[in-house]
Amino acid sequence: MEVRRTVPVKLDVDDSDADLLRETIQQFLDSANYVVDVASEGESVETRKSVLHEETYSDVRDRTDLHSNHVQSARDRAVDALKSVVSKWKKGEYASLPTFTTPFCEYNQRNATFYDDHATLSTIDGRVTVDYILPDEDRDTPHTKYLFNEDYERTGATLHEREDGLYLHIRTKADMDAPEHSENGTVLGVDLGVENIAVTSTGAFWSAAELAHWRTEYVERRRSLQECGTRWAHENVQSVGDTETGRFTQELHRIANELVKEALENDCSHIAFENLTGIRSRMPNARKFHEWTFRRLFENVEYKAEEYGISVEQVNPAYTSQQCSTCGFTHEENRHGESFECQQCGYENHADYNASKNIGLKLLRNQTGGEGGAPVGVRLNSGMLNTNGVTSVPELA
């Protein structure tokens, strides 16, 4: 079977080359956004790559200094995002047209060359050499498992800019006869919510109270500035928004780090989240702010977990809040606010904790009997839960 793995590598780049890479990223994002604009000009949104290639390729080459493959990759990213939006519209779900703001840029074997300790990357002004910052070769890391493994071919990469520098997420693939994951792999289920931003199947809780407090504080501050009506006040509205985003971003990185740490400490090979599509329609009291928060948290966990070879996936969340994780009985009367009491077996616990176990079970059922490396259980704070029942039932203090 074909196995694909992505290895994040921090880059050591001098200031001038870093500036070239950042400008390349910005022009890549501008190109993707331009394709979205062109695709949505008519009565319907165009999602055919061949048509959008004809309508945008020459213009983007004239508007930017990008390598031709960057232009094509930006178009492909835009088309993929547009198809996702159109798919939601067809289901009657709300979705806005995509806007690319997160700093990234795609590379393939035509505009990048990958070596053991460095890579050369195309920019808006020729190629630059970037050195890898690598862990100790004696450590058991994704770098030794995949990046330096002759069985794995380096197929491409995504360049990301984070708060602490530039990273190259190098994609690799290999044809393997044996499963990649240990047969003892387990799942960490994660439930997302308005009151508790995240609850895991191991019983770890992250309250959303502080985020909600900050949100209220910044909303009131912006409202006060807008009511003031002066030029100074209007100029400071944007500054307040930037401060708010930065504060939330820092907090979500902290929570993501702790979620990944929870998975590592419990020997989990998989982290399961509920599918975020349509989450506001499913979750009472959720607003656009919560949807943004959940997506950023998922994205943070996804790339942070890659470093440790942990798979992060989404599952269909249907009935996870109403189903008993002990006996499987599903009924809307099982859940009352934050409390869960099974009407059949009498199991009682925090509703979000019960849901997190069910989310883990969803991934377990999806994986069982499939490709090698399927996890064998959902990790709890004491024992493990599998498709045949509970090995050990933990009770929260």
Side-chain angles (χ1 to χ4, degrees), residues 194-196 205 334-341 349-354:
V194 174
E195 299 299 325
N196 294 297
F205 283 66
N334 283 348
R335 177 167 187 165
H336 296 279
E338 294 187 354
S339 300
F340 185 92
E341 181 178 0
N349 219 310
H350 194 287
D352 294 341
Y353 175 61
N354 178 75

Side-chain angles (χ1 to χ4, degrees), residues 181-193:
H181 283 293
S182 166
E183 62 180 3
N184 295 320
T186 55
V187 179
L188 181 74
V190 181
D191 180 66
L192 303 173

Side-chain angles (χ1 to χ4, degrees), residues 6-13 114-119 121 130-135 141-144 146-148 154 156-162 164-172 303 306-307:
T6 300
V7 183
V9 180
K10 189 174 184 179
L11 303 179
D12 183 10
V13 192
F114 306 101
Y115 299 94
D116 287 342
D117 58 357
H118 70 281
L121 306 175
V130 296
D131 293 322
Y132 302 156
I133 300 177
L134 298 169
T141 67
H143 305 79
T144 56
Y146 314 121
L147 194 60
F148 304 138
R154 300 160 194 172
T158 305
L159 177 67
H160 293 270
E161 182 181 8
R162 302 185 200 164
D164 61 339
L166 293 164
Y167 285 77
L168 201 60
H169 289 207
I170 303 174
R171 296 184 291 275
T172 67
Y303 85 73
E306 282 180 346
E307 181 179 353

Side-chain angles (χ1 to χ4, degrees), residues 1 3-5 145-146 149 152 174 176 178-182 372-373:
M1 67 177 182
V3 177
R4 294 179 179 269
R5 293 290 181 268
K145 288 181 180 177
Y146 314 121
N149 189 334
Y152 283 81
M176 307 293 287
E180 181 69 10
H181 283 293
S182 166

Side-chain angles (χ1 to χ4, degrees), residues 175-233:
D175 292 323
M176 307 293 287
D177 295 329
E180 181 69 10
H181 283 293
S182 166
E183 62 180 3
N184 295 320
T186 55
V187 179
L188 181 74
V190 181
D191 180 66
L192 303 173
V194 174
E195 299 299 325
N196 294 297
I197 186 173
V199 178
T200 68
S201 57
T202 53
F205 283 66
W206 286 268
S207 172
E210 192 165 17
L211 288 171
H213 173 74
W214 292 346
R215 176 65 173 169
T216 301
E217 176 185 324
Y218 284 114
V219 168
E220 290 299 324
R221 193 180 300 179
R222 282 197 299 272
R223 181 182 293 116
S224 177
L225 287 169
Q226 290 167 345
E227 289 176 351
C228 184
T230 65
R231 179 179 178 181
W232 173 88

Side-chain angles (χ1 to χ4, degrees), residues 65-79:
D65 300 305
L66 293 175
H67 188 281
S68 60
N69 290 101
H70 278 145
V71 175
Q72 295 174 42
S73 295
R75 178 205 64 218
D76 291 347
R77 275 297 189 114
V79 169

Side-chain angles (χ1 to χ4, degrees), residues 273-275 282 314-320 358-359 362 366:
F273 283 80
E274 59 186 287
N275 193 305
R282 300 193 309 267
Q314 296 183 17
V315 300
N316 185 342
Y319 305 111
T320 51
N358 286 326
I359 289 169
K362 286 259 187 172
N366 291 347

